[in-house]
Amino acid sequence: MCGIVGYVGFRKAAEVLLDGLRRVEYRGYDSAGLAVRTEKGLEIVKEVGKVSDLEQVARGRNLTGCQGIGHTRWATHGGVTVTNAHPHADGAGRFALVHNGIIENYLDLQEELHAKGVCFFSQTDTEVIVQLLAHLRAETDDMPTALTLLQQRLNGSFALAIIDAQEPECFYCVRRGSPLVLGLGVEECFCASDVSALLPYTKNVVYLEEGDTARVCTKGVEIWNECGEEVCRDVAIVDWDVSMSEKDGYPHYMLKEINEQGAVFRSTLKGRITEGRIDLSNDLDWDASKINSWKNVHIVACGTSYYASLVAQRALEQWTDCHIVVDVASEYRYRRMKADPSTLAVFVSQSGETADTLAAQRKARSEGAHCLAITNVRGSTLAREVHDVLLLKAGPEIGVAATKTFMGQMVALYLLALFLGEARRTLSAAEAKRLAEELLHLPYKVEIVLNRQDAIKEIARKYAEKRNFLYLGRGNTYPVALEGALKLKEISYIHAEAYAAGEMKHGPIALLEPDVPVLVIVPRNSLYEKTLSNIQEAKARHSAIIAVGTDGDALLPHHVEDILWIPWTDEEFVPFLAVVPLQLFAYHAAVLRGCEIDQPRNLAKSVTVE
């Protein structure tokens, strides 16, 4: 949550900062601000709303400096006001600071500083940091030492970018718990919350480690660890292209990313199926002894990643003999769940920076589990902390509502399930080959669904003004129903509940009436007849029925009002196709309702605080 950008170099800092803030705006869009060092000192410009609102205000200021920091806020402490927007400055105006995270002991520090005569103007925990820094810097010989002392005084998670009016040609960064990456250019350097802000300028990046402090200058960077010792960090080359973070003519990032899912599917499969066999040797150095030592598989995630994990749970249960547990990260980290060397613990996170998932991983690893990350970001905290990584290769996802990364996560998890099944000999080589071949055909079937958007839009038009929905699924389509309902809630603000279809009569049926549509995933599979029975129960309560159905099903149109058609595939793979019309249905309903698509209210892309 919250986006940070910093720049020092030869360009006009305000222009670079505003461009970077637009690229990380999905991380927070309550307010935005920037601080630029000019001949007059530090000049701070802030505005409530989006980066475009800040840009209008900044246009009237002659911010000519080449050194500055910027921020987009997702409010935690203090309301959404210009005063509470970042950057915050100390009383003397020497330091300006932007912050992502939460300072848990800010009230104690505020009281201490009050006693020293410090006046506070905002209701944020962030202002406490910059006021404390001013005192610590006055008591120390240099800025790195002051920042080391600052870290020792702060409890919580934070990523900081700091500019000092008395230090030309550099700014400082501090990272504990919240992500921060440095960008290295020629006679210029950058920092940002994630690499998307850096792509127009450089692909050479340094991911700060936990507790790192950095001085970022035109000539390069210096880094100290949490003990104040100078250290070297590896330079990584980002394999994303700047075009991946552009809209490419689409009205919204979300629609672009939905339409990229066939390509994401192929990208995640690439190099991982060889001669009809799942081959993860380029990603995982696992021998037969290690694979067979695992009796339990724990899959831990949040939100959409959790629903992808629930889909994979069914596949792992079918193809392996392991005991499979799937849990929400915020619950797993506090449960007395046994994780030992016989456990493969899989942590699924698009960003690799989700606070609860990171904490859950540290818990499992401390107890002896072998930890695997399934993530979209190679240099993320999660990817650096686990034993092994299976990358999605989905490219940057800008829309807050996850779509293409849900697809990528399911692909990666299915590859893992098939790989484990064949390695443990609980899945025959012939069956594994048959399933792998169908995986290779699925991207084309996804694109068949994508080509039916006009029909999906018309169905969405019929129901866009409804206030409540019930989603139903059975077997491996139940998690897809959960994900479909989540998408509708996230971007259209329509209340939607999802249930296993067999549970409808155990309570949710009380909600049914003519004004509550029921969206049912009913492919031609082994549970088809049972799901049809649930449809009849809903029809008896006069609810309109929308179905996700398999092409060629002649019976289904007699039982439902509208159908979102998908091609046939093996029962095991239906979730890959069934989720696509649900994403498009939610998208078009939200557009018709006039909702903000890419930046829905109250949500941020990455939840980096507990």
Side-chain angles (χ1 to χ4, degrees):
M1 297 183 291
C2 302
I4 290 174
V5 180
Y7 177 75
V8 60
F10 55 87
R11 306 174 198 260
K12 191 173 180 180
E15 294 177 358
V16 177
L17 296 173
L18 287 166
D19 177 57
L21 291 177
R22 283 190 290 269
R23 296 176 187 276
V24 297
E25 190 173 14
Y26 64 87
R27 299 182 66 92
Y29 32 89
D30 293 338
S31 58
L34 52 85
V36 175
R37 184 180 180 278
T38 71
E39 294 178 353
K40 302 175 185 177
L42 295 184
E43 294 196 55
I44 297 175
V45 182
K46 305 192 283 188
E47 185 57 87
V48 168
K50 300 192 176 183
V51 174
S52 58
D53 299 307
L54 173 67
E55 191 170 8
Q56 289 184 5
V57 176
R59 199 177 292 141
R61 303 276 291 271
N62 187 28
L63 302 175
T64 56
C66 298
Q67 172 191 7
I69 55 176
H71 188 266
T72 62
R73 183 174 185 237
W74 192 87
T76 54
H77 294 71
V80 180
T81 66
V82 172
T83 302
N84 288 334
H86 299 208
H88 289 280
D90 69 304
R94 174 177 174 179
F95 301 101
L97 177 149
V98 295
H99 167 220
N100 178 15
I102 288 178
I103 305 304
E104 295 169 355
N105 62 331
Y106 84 102
L107 289 174
D108 293 337
L109 294 172
Q110 190 178 67
E111 185 176 343
E112 175 187 323
L113 291 166
H114 264 309
K116 295 180 178 179
V118 175
C119 294
F120 290 87
F121 302 96
S122 75
Q123 292 79 50
T124 68
D125 54 343
T126 303
E127 189 183 356
V128 173
I129 308 174
V130 71
Q131 300 285 15
L132 177 60
L133 172 62
H135 277 259
L136 293 173
R137 181 65 183 91
E139 298 169 356
T140 53
D141 294 331
D142 57 59
M143 189 68 159
T145 301
L147 292 173
T148 299
L149 293 172
L150 179 69
Q151 279 207 65
Q152 294 169 2
R153 297 295 312 278
L154 301 177
N155 296 335
S157 65
F158 46 86
L160 308 175
I162 305 155
I163 189 167
D164 182 348
Q166 297 183 16
E167 290 201 48
E169 299 188 355
C170 78
F171 63 90
Y172 291 87
C173 296
V174 183
R175 180 264 160 102
R176 188 210 292 166
S178 295
L180 208 55
V181 58
L182 309 181
L184 310 180
V186 178
E187 298 296 321
E188 61 181 351
C189 281
F190 312 78
C191 81
S193 300
D194 61 50
V195 296
S196 60
L198 308 179
L199 292 177
Y201 308 101
T202 182
K203 290 190 175 184
N204 299 318
V205 302
V206 175
Y207 293 96
L208 291 181
E209 300 283 347
E210 192 77 354
D212 279 356
T213 295
R215 178 190 281 130
V216 184
C217 305
T218 55
K219 303 291 186 182
V221 301
E222 300 171 90
I223 302 174
W224 297 265
N225 64 19
E226 60 186 346
C227 298
E229 302 163 336
E230 191 164 359
V231 293
C232 292
R233 300 294 185 215
D234 294 336
V235 178
I237 309 299
V238 179
D239 54 6
W240 291 351
D241 188 81
V242 66
S243 64
M244 293 180 177
S245 61
E246 304 290 348
K247 288 183 182 176
D248 289 344
Y250 286 94
H252 303 101
Y253 282 111
M254 183 180 180
L255 185 59
K256 172 181 181 266
E257 289 156 4
I258 290 172
N259 281 279
E260 289 175 339
Q261 288 180 112
V264 167
F265 207 126
R266 294 185 188 92
S267 179
T268 305
L269 289 178
K270 187 176 180 180
R272 291 165 171 169
I273 298 181
T274 304
E275 297 179 354
R277 293 186 63 251
I278 305 301
D279 180 6
L280 300 182
S281 59
N282 291 329
D283 303 278
L284 308 174
D285 185 20
W286 294 352
D287 58 26
S289 174
K290 177 178 289 188
I291 292 170
N292 286 294
S293 71
W294 296 320
K295 298 177 182 177
N296 309 292
V297 177
H298 294 180
I299 313 179
V300 183
C302 300
T304 286
S305 301
Y306 172 65
Y307 296 148
S309 302
L310 286 176
V311 173
Q313 180 182 25
R314 275 76 172 166
L316 282 158
E317 288 171 343
Q318 183 169 345
W319 297 330
T320 78
D321 57 352
C322 295
H323 177 234
I324 314 299
V325 174
V326 178
D327 206 356
V328 177
S330 57
E331 293 294 320
Y332 182 90
R333 62 184 291 193
Y334 295 115
R335 291 177 63 184
R336 298 187 66 180
M337 183 75 70
K338 183 179 180 182
D340 57 26
S342 70
T343 302
L344 172 64
V346 183
F347 298 89
V348 187
S349 169
Q350 184 279 135
S351 67
E353 302 292 350
T354 308
D356 286 317
T357 305
L358 290 172
Q361 186 274 143
R362 290 161 187 158
K363 171 183 179 288
R365 183 161 185 170
S366 71
E367 294 172 356
H370 188 93
C371 295
L372 169 68
I374 293 181
T375 183
N376 197 36
V377 183
R378 186 185 302 276
S380 62
T381 303
L382 183 64
R384 294 198 304 270
E385 290 190 2
V386 295
H387 298 98
D388 293 293
V389 179
L390 197 56
L391 284 173
L392 304 187
K393 306 179 185 179
E397 186 175 65
I398 307 301
V400 167
T403 52
K404 68 176 182 176
T405 54
F406 179 79
M407 185 69 69
Q409 287 168 348
M410 287 198 298
V411 176
L413 286 162
Y414 267 60
L415 287 170
L416 177 66
L418 289 167
F419 178 71
L420 291 177
E422 190 168 6
R424 295 172 70 90
R425 299 189 177 181
T426 51
L427 180 67
S428 71
E431 180 66 359
K433 183 176 182 180
R434 185 188 72 80
L435 293 166
E437 287 174 350
E438 177 60 13
L439 266 179
L440 291 171
H441 287 100
L442 279 173
Y444 301 96
K445 296 182 180 183
V446 166
E447 288 165 347
I448 289 172
V449 182
L450 291 169
N451 286 330
R452 297 172 175 175
Q453 292 188 46
D454 288 344
I456 296 169
K457 181 178 180 179
E458 288 309 306
I459 294 173
R461 190 183 303 278
K462 289 176 62 175
Y463 298 97
E465 296 307 316
K466 299 297 182 181
R467 299 181 64 184
N468 299 283
F469 265 80
L470 184 66
Y471 280 60
L472 300 176
R474 276 184 178 269
N476 63 8
T477 67
Y478 166 49
V480 178
L482 290 165
E483 172 62 10
L486 177 63
K487 286 293 155 284
L488 195 67
K489 285 182 279 196
E490 284 181 312
I491 62 167
S492 75
Y493 315 140
I494 297 171
H495 173 246
E497 297 287 347
Y499 287 90
E503 284 293 295
M504 185 175 65
K505 64 179 69 69
H506 295 284
I509 198 168
L511 298 173
L512 297 186
E513 58 182 35
D515 207 38
V516 179
V518 179
L519 200 157
V520 187
I521 306 171
V522 54
R524 273 288 194 175
N525 61 16
S526 60
L527 297 171
Y528 179 76
E529 286 78 12
K530 292 186 181 297
T531 310
L532 279 183
S533 296
N534 298 127
I535 288 175
Q536 295 306 319
E537 292 167 349
K539 283 181 68 69
R541 276 76 186 176
H542 308 292
S543 288
I545 311 297
I546 309 164
V548 176
T550 305
D551 286 348
D553 185 342
L555 181 60
L556 190 58
H558 298 290
H559 296 278
V560 305
E561 278 70 28
D562 295 285
I563 303 177
L564 307 168
W565 293 106
I566 61 173
W568 179 90
T569 185
D570 287 76
E571 183 169 343
E572 296 87 346
F573 297 129
V574 167
F576 293 99
L577 303 182
V579 73
V580 178
L582 301 187
Q583 294 168 341
L584 289 166
F585 181 82
Y587 169 80
H588 287 296
V591 171
L592 290 163
R593 291 168 65 89
C595 298
E596 174 60 73
I597 303 298
D598 291 327
Q599 298 165 352
R601 68 188 183 205
N602 303 332
L603 296 177
K605 183 67 175 174
S606 301
V607 183
T608 58
V609 295
E610 183 178 356

